[in-house]
Amino acid sequence: MRWSIYQLLTFSLIVLFMWFLEYINQNGTNPHSSGEWTAVNSTYMTFITVSLAITLFYLIFLFEAKKDNSLLDRSLWKVMPTICIVAGIVSVILFLIGGIFGPIMEWVEQWRSLLYVFMIYFLFLIFLFIFSIEHKNNRFKQRNEKTVHIAFIWTIVLFIVLYFLF
């Protein structure tokens, strides 16, 4: 039960962190560049924001791995990489269609927090995909906690590489 409480507290930290980013943006404490529409204008702050969100996902998964009857022991993880790929492709297509032809941009202008929901969703999907591949490859070879640690490291390395490439 205590691991579930820790997971709930970690999820609350994600919500609090996204609220804090919105607060910074609304109060003008962050200087705006022309044409920028994110709450985080600095590339370093963007990297720190992404890293913090991934770290909080890592904690949620780590707390789940410490439970006795963990969701990480279910057979669903055999097909989870495929589910993540399909969900990711469908999500990107719907996001692009909604942004170009649909009302997503109008919604984001009205409810700016929707931008953070999209960001958290896509970051979670990336972390889930990397974790599911690692979990599927090493299901009986290592403990779930070690799989969570390895997935966290690979996800951070991916974003470090992307950060320096772009």
Side-chain angles (χ1 to χ4, degrees), residues 6-121:
Y6 290 159
Q7 285 177 312
L8 185 63
L9 289 173
T10 306
F11 181 77
S12 300
L13 280 175
I14 293 172
V15 172
L16 185 66
F17 180 62
M18 293 302 120
W19 174 83
F20 180 70
L21 288 176
E22 180 63 19
Y23 177 78
I24 288 173
N25 184 49
Q26 284 182 347
N27 289 331
T29 57
N30 207 6
H32 295 292
S33 302
S34 61
E36 296 254 355
W37 54 277
T38 62
V40 184
N41 291 331
S42 167
T43 56
Y44 296 116
M45 285 303 294
T46 302
F47 180 74
I48 290 170
T49 301
V50 168
S51 297
L52 183 62
I54 291 170
T55 302
L56 293 173
F57 296 145
Y58 159 74
L59 289 174
I60 289 172
F61 274 72
L62 186 63
F63 296 147
E64 183 64 35
K66 292 183 181 286
K67 291 181 181 178
D68 290 331
N69 190 12
S70 174
L71 292 174
L72 305 179
D73 295 327
R74 306 287 161 85
S75 62
L76 176 69
W77 291 99
K78 293 178 187 174
V79 294
M80 189 58 79
T82 307
I83 293 171
C84 288
I85 289 172
V86 170
I89 290 171
V90 169
S91 297
V92 167
I93 290 171
L94 289 176
F95 182 75
L96 291 174
I97 289 173
I100 294 171
F101 301 113
I104 287 182
M105 290 305 159
E106 294 170 13
W107 292 347
V108 168
E109 287 177 11
Q110 292 174 356
W111 304 294
R112 196 166 174 92
S113 58
L114 206 57
L115 183 68
Y116 303 117
V117 171
F118 290 140
M119 180 185 81
I120 290 296
Y121 170 73

Side-chain angles (χ1 to χ4, degrees), residues 105-150:
M105 290 305 159
E106 294 170 13
W107 292 347
V108 168
E109 287 177 11
Q110 292 174 356
W111 304 294
R112 196 166 174 92
S113 58
L114 206 57
L115 183 68
Y116 303 117
V117 171
F118 290 140
M119 180 185 81
I120 290 296
Y121 170 73
F122 283 112
L123 287 175
F124 178 74
L125 203 57
I126 291 168
F127 182 81
L128 183 65
F129 176 69
I130 292 172
F131 173 80
S132 65
I133 288 175
E134 183 63 30
H135 190 274
K136 183 179 177 182
N137 290 339
N138 297 311
R139 183 171 176 98
F140 298 108
K141 297 177 187 171
Q142 63 191 18
R143 295 181 351 189
N144 287 335
E145 290 94 350
K146 185 175 181 182
T147 305
V148 173
H149 297 315
I150 292 170

